[in-house]
Amino acid sequence: MSTTTPAPARALNASRTTATAARVLRQLRHDPRTIALMVLIPCVMLFLLRYVFDGSARTFDGIGASLLGIFPLITMFLVTSIATLRERTSGTLERLLAMPLGKGDLIAGYALAFGTLAIIQSALATGLAVWFLGLDVTGSPWLLLLVALLDALLGTALGLFVSAFAASEFQAVQFMPAVIFPQLLLCGLFTPRDDMHPVLEAISDVLPMSYAVDGMNEVLKHTDMTAAFVRDTAIVAGCALLVLTLGAATLKRRTQ
């Protein structure tokens, strides 16, 4: 009895990566609810938050920038994990891995597709917060946009990674309390991280969302790009790249 083996993986190739991204975007185009969740929900949440604190504009200024980075991370994590899981369970990834297509091409194509939507999402949320809702920031709104985009890409990377460990969409959603909620509690949104218990502060120091919030706060307080801002954004970008690399390692054929 003969067995079918996957074609040997090739080096990362731009044309194969963009073809994969185009296929994912075509599929997403036929799912308006998913697009609405990714693009509109962060804007809706920011809008609600602004008028929850309608009588205290300073409160919105204090946490609005942080949430501008957190909301895209959460929504991209949720949507990416579910969408990628659908590809796994439907057999699409299985068929693609049997083709002469490298794991790097696949994971980079997914990241490029969802990253394109992340750019749109981050631009809309940042524009809404700064120019419509009146978020008062000392630094450049473009730096806010940069951090929001990196946070969305980090959410995409985390979603791609955890999708390998879920057998259903319900299980994919269950990863949110395990992966996202601890970071949300320890990132410094509710209280400064140096006021936490030393053990929790040490844990927060290794969580990427902490640096996403720190980067937003740097833009909130300083007119120019600071060394701390560069460090924070580099850590967020590095974590996203690391998780994408780990995600590529999870792409395995499940039948032989």
Side-chain angles (χ1 to χ4, degrees):
M1 177 176 17
S2 62
T3 60
T4 303
T5 58
R10 300 178 181 179
L12 190 66
N13 179 276
S15 62
R16 294 195 295 266
T17 297
T18 53
T20 300
R23 180 187 61 80
V24 174
L25 288 173
R26 284 195 301 269
Q27 291 179 333
L28 289 174
R29 186 180 62 186
H30 300 294
D31 190 355
R33 287 177 297 181
T34 298
I35 294 176
L37 178 62
M38 284 190 288
V39 175
L40 297 180
I41 291 300
C43 294
V44 173
M45 297 300 291
L46 285 169
F47 186 86
L48 289 175
L49 185 70
R50 168 63 182 85
Y51 291 102
V52 164
F53 297 110
D54 192 34
S56 179
R58 287 189 177 182
T59 303
F60 177 70
D61 291 337
I63 66 173
S66 298
L67 292 175
L68 185 60
I70 292 173
F71 285 158
L73 191 157
I74 293 175
T75 55
M76 292 305 295
F77 170 84
L78 181 61
V79 171
T80 304
S81 60
I82 292 176
T84 308
L85 179 64
R86 287 177 182 174
E87 297 253 292
R88 290 179 184 271
T89 56
S90 67
T92 301
L93 283 179
E94 183 85 2
R95 292 190 295 272
L96 290 173
L97 288 173
M99 299 170 60
L101 185 69
K103 293 181 180 180
D105 297 320
L106 275 175
I107 207 72
Y110 280 91
L112 180 60
F114 288 109
T116 300
L117 293 173
I119 293 173
I120 299 172
Q121 177 197 72
S122 301
L124 287 174
T126 303
L128 175 71
V130 174
W131 288 295
F132 184 78
L133 299 179
L135 180 65
D136 186 16
V137 294
T138 302
S140 169
W142 294 106
L143 295 180
L144 278 184
L145 175 59
L146 173 62
V147 182
L149 176 58
L150 289 175
D151 294 343
L153 293 175
L154 175 61
T156 298
L158 289 170
L160 287 169
F161 177 66
V162 303
S163 68
F165 305 100
S168 66
E169 294 181 15
F170 179 69
Q171 288 185 7
V173 173
Q174 287 179 313
F175 274 102
M176 181 170 287
V179 176
I180 299 298
F181 287 178
Q183 297 192 64
L184 186 61
L185 293 174
L186 299 177
C187 69
L189 176 64
F190 301 105
T191 186
R193 291 195 291 126
D194 53 12
D195 289 344
M196 298 177 185
H197 188 281
V199 173
L200 295 181
E201 183 183 359
I203 295 174
S204 73
D205 287 340
V206 299
L207 298 177
M209 191 183 290
S210 300
Y211 298 94
V213 170
D214 287 350
M216 286 295 190
N217 287 333
E218 287 295 309
V219 181
L220 190 66
K221 300 174 182 177
H222 301 280
T223 56
D224 300 321
M225 185 185 300
T226 64
F229 174 85
V230 174
R231 178 205 64 194
D232 294 335
T233 53
I235 289 174
V236 174
C239 288
L241 182 60
L242 174 62
V243 176
L244 283 175
T245 303
L246 294 174
T250 68
L251 291 177
K252 298 178 181 179
R253 296 193 69 212
R254 299 187 179 183
T255 60
Q256 299 294 335

PDB file of all heavy atoms in Angstrom, residues 177-189:
ATOM      1  N   PRO A 177      -9.555  33.343  27.618  1.00  0.00           N
ATOM      2  CA  PRO A 177      -9.267  33.531  29.042  1.00  0.00           C
ATOM      3  C   PRO A 177      -7.855  33.095  29.432  1.00  0.00           C
ATOM      4  O   PRO A 177      -7.267  33.657  30.354  1.00  0.00           O
ATOM      5  CB  PRO A 177     -10.319  32.647  29.731  1.00  0.00           C
ATOM      6  CG  PRO A 177     -11.417  32.515  28.737  1.00  0.00           C
ATOM      7  CD  PRO A 177     -10.744  32.508  27.404  1.00  0.00           C
ATOM      8  N   ALA A 178      -7.319  32.113  28.725  1.00  0.00           N
ATOM      9  CA  ALA A 178      -5.985  31.611  29.072  1.00  0.00           C
ATOM     10  C   ALA A 178      -4.863  32.487  28.534  1.00  0.00           C
ATOM     11  O   ALA A 178      -3.831  32.663  29.184  1.00  0.00           O
ATOM     12  CB  ALA A 178      -5.823  30.180  28.553  1.00  0.00           C
ATOM     13  N   VAL A 179      -5.058  33.051  27.350  1.00  0.00           N
ATOM     14  CA  VAL A 179      -3.980  33.782  26.678  1.00  0.00           C
ATOM     15  C   VAL A 179      -4.114  35.295  26.828  1.00  0.00           C
ATOM     16  O   VAL A 179      -3.117  36.002  27.039  1.00  0.00           O
ATOM     17  CB  VAL A 179      -3.943  33.404  25.175  1.00  0.00           C
ATOM     18  CG1 VAL A 179      -2.889  34.216  24.435  1.00  0.00           C
ATOM     19  CG2 VAL A 179      -3.672  31.916  25.013  1.00  0.00           C
ATOM     20  N   ILE A 180      -5.334  35.808  26.738  1.00  0.00           N
ATOM     21  CA  ILE A 180      -5.550  37.251  26.692  1.00  0.00           C
ATOM     22  C   ILE A 180      -5.868  37.851  28.060  1.00  0.00           C
ATOM     23  O   ILE A 180      -5.290  38.876  28.453  1.00  0.00           O
ATOM     24  CB  ILE A 180      -6.684  37.591  25.699  1.00  0.00           C
ATOM     25  CG1 ILE A 180      -6.307  37.122  24.293  1.00  0.00           C
ATOM     26  CG2 ILE A 180      -6.953  39.083  25.701  1.00  0.00           C
ATOM     27  CD1 ILE A 180      -5.085  37.780  23.718  1.00  0.00           C
ATOM     28  N   PHE A 181      -6.763  37.224  28.819  1.00  0.00           N
ATOM     29  CA  PHE A 181      -7.221  37.841  30.065  1.00  0.00           C
ATOM     30  C   PHE A 181      -6.098  38.066  31.082  1.00  0.00           C
ATOM     31  O   PHE A 181      -6.058  39.131  31.715  1.00  0.00           O
ATOM     32  CB  PHE A 181      -8.343  37.007  30.682  1.00  0.00           C
ATOM     33  CG  PHE A 181      -9.653  37.127  29.948  1.00  0.00           C
ATOM     34  CD1 PHE A 181     -10.768  36.413  30.354  1.00  0.00           C
ATOM     35  CD2 PHE A 181      -9.775  37.949  28.828  1.00  0.00           C
ATOM     36  CE1 PHE A 181     -11.982  36.525  29.682  1.00  0.00           C
ATOM     37  CE2 PHE A 181     -10.968  38.062  28.139  1.00  0.00           C
ATOM     38  CZ  PHE A 181     -12.077  37.351  28.560  1.00  0.00           C
ATOM     39  N   PRO A 182      -5.184  37.104  31.303  1.00  0.00           N
ATOM     40  CA  PRO A 182      -4.086  37.398  32.236  1.00  0.00           C
ATOM     41  C   PRO A 182      -3.248  38.601  31.805  1.00  0.00           C
ATOM     42  O   PRO A 182      -2.838  39.414  32.641  1.00  0.00           O
ATOM     43  CB  PRO A 182      -3.256  36.101  32.216  1.00  0.00           C
ATOM     44  CG  PRO A 182      -4.223  35.044  31.809  1.00  0.00           C
ATOM     45  CD  PRO A 182      -5.142  35.703  30.823  1.00  0.00           C
ATOM     46  N   GLN A 183      -3.015  38.732  30.505  1.00  0.00           N
ATOM     47  CA  GLN A 183      -2.258  39.885  30.030  1.00  0.00           C
ATOM     48  C   GLN A 183      -3.040  41.179  30.257  1.00  0.00           C
ATOM     49  O   GLN A 183      -2.459  42.215  30.609  1.00  0.00           O
ATOM     50  CB  GLN A 183      -1.943  39.729  28.543  1.00  0.00           C
ATOM     51  CG  GLN A 183      -1.056  38.549  28.211  1.00  0.00           C
ATOM     52  CD  GLN A 183      -0.550  38.612  26.781  1.00  0.00           C
ATOM     53  OE1 GLN A 183       0.196  39.519  26.410  1.00  0.00           O
ATOM     54  NE2 GLN A 183      -0.971  37.661  25.966  1.00  0.00           N
ATOM     55  N   LEU A 184      -4.353  41.101  30.069  1.00  0.00           N
ATOM     56  CA  LEU A 184      -5.195  42.282  30.262  1.00  0.00           C
ATOM     57  C   LEU A 184      -5.142  42.759  31.710  1.00  0.00           C
ATOM     58  O   LEU A 184      -5.091  43.962  31.985  1.00  0.00           O
ATOM     59  CB  LEU A 184      -6.628  41.951  29.852  1.00  0.00           C
ATOM     60  CG  LEU A 184      -7.642  43.093  29.834  1.00  0.00           C
ATOM     61  CD1 LEU A 184      -7.226  44.165  28.834  1.00  0.00           C
ATOM     62  CD2 LEU A 184      -9.029  42.574  29.513  1.00  0.00           C
ATOM     63  N   LEU A 185      -5.141  41.820  32.648  1.00  0.00           N
ATOM     64  CA  LEU A 185      -5.117  42.178  34.061  1.00  0.00           C
ATOM     65  C   LEU A 185      -3.753  42.684  34.522  1.00  0.00           C
ATOM     66  O   LEU A 185      -3.671  43.506  35.435  1.00  0.00           O
ATOM     67  CB  LEU A 185      -5.516  40.962  34.911  1.00  0.00           C
ATOM     68  CG  LEU A 185      -6.965  40.478  34.767  1.00  0.00           C
ATOM     69  CD1 LEU A 185      -7.170  39.190  35.548  1.00  0.00           C
ATOM     70  CD2 LEU A 185      -7.934  41.554  35.251  1.00  0.00           C
ATOM     71  N   LEU A 186      -2.685  42.208  33.877  1.00  0.00           N
ATOM     72  CA  LEU A 186      -1.331  42.513  34.344  1.00  0.00           C
ATOM     73  C   LEU A 186      -0.599  43.542  33.505  1.00  0.00           C
ATOM     74  O   LEU A 186       0.562  43.853  33.796  1.00  0.00           O
ATOM     75  CB  LEU A 186      -0.500  41.222  34.389  1.00  0.00           C
ATOM     76  CG  LEU A 186      -1.007  40.116  35.319  1.00  0.00           C
ATOM     77  CD1 LEU A 186      -0.131  38.874  35.203  1.00  0.00           C
ATOM     78  CD2 LEU A 186      -1.044  40.596  36.762  1.00  0.00           C
ATOM     79  N   CYS A 187      -1.238  44.091  32.479  1.00  0.00           N
ATOM     80  CA  CYS A 187      -0.538  44.961  31.533  1.00  0.00           C
ATOM     81  C   CYS A 187      -0.337  46.385  32.039  1.00  0.00           C
ATOM     82  O   CYS A 187       0.337  47.182  31.394  1.00  0.00           O
ATOM     83  CB  CYS A 187      -1.271  44.990  30.193  1.00  0.00           C
ATOM     84  SG  CYS A 187      -2.875  45.835  30.243  1.00  0.00           S
ATOM     85  N   GLY A 188      -0.945  46.735  33.169  1.00  0.00           N
ATOM     86  CA  GLY A 188      -0.827  48.090  33.682  1.00  0.00           C
ATOM     87  C   GLY A 188      -1.998  48.975  33.348  1.00  0.00           C
ATOM     88  O   GLY A 188      -1.960  50.185  33.628  1.00  0.00           O
ATOM     89  N   LEU A 189      -3.049  48.416  32.777  1.00  0.00           N
ATOM     90  CA  LEU A 189      -4.225  49.205  32.432  1.00  0.00           C
ATOM     91  C   LEU A 189      -4.978  49.646  33.679  1.00  0.00           C
ATOM     92  O   LEU A 189      -5.445  50.786  33.766  1.00  0.00           O
ATOM     93  CB  LEU A 189      -5.147  48.377  31.527  1.00  0.00           C
ATOM     94  CG  LEU A 189      -6.481  49.023  31.137  1.00  0.00           C
ATOM     95  CD1 LEU A 189      -6.242  50.273  30.286  1.00  0.00           C
ATOM     96  CD2 LEU A 189      -7.364  48.031  30.403  1.00  0.00           C
TER      97      LEU A 189
END
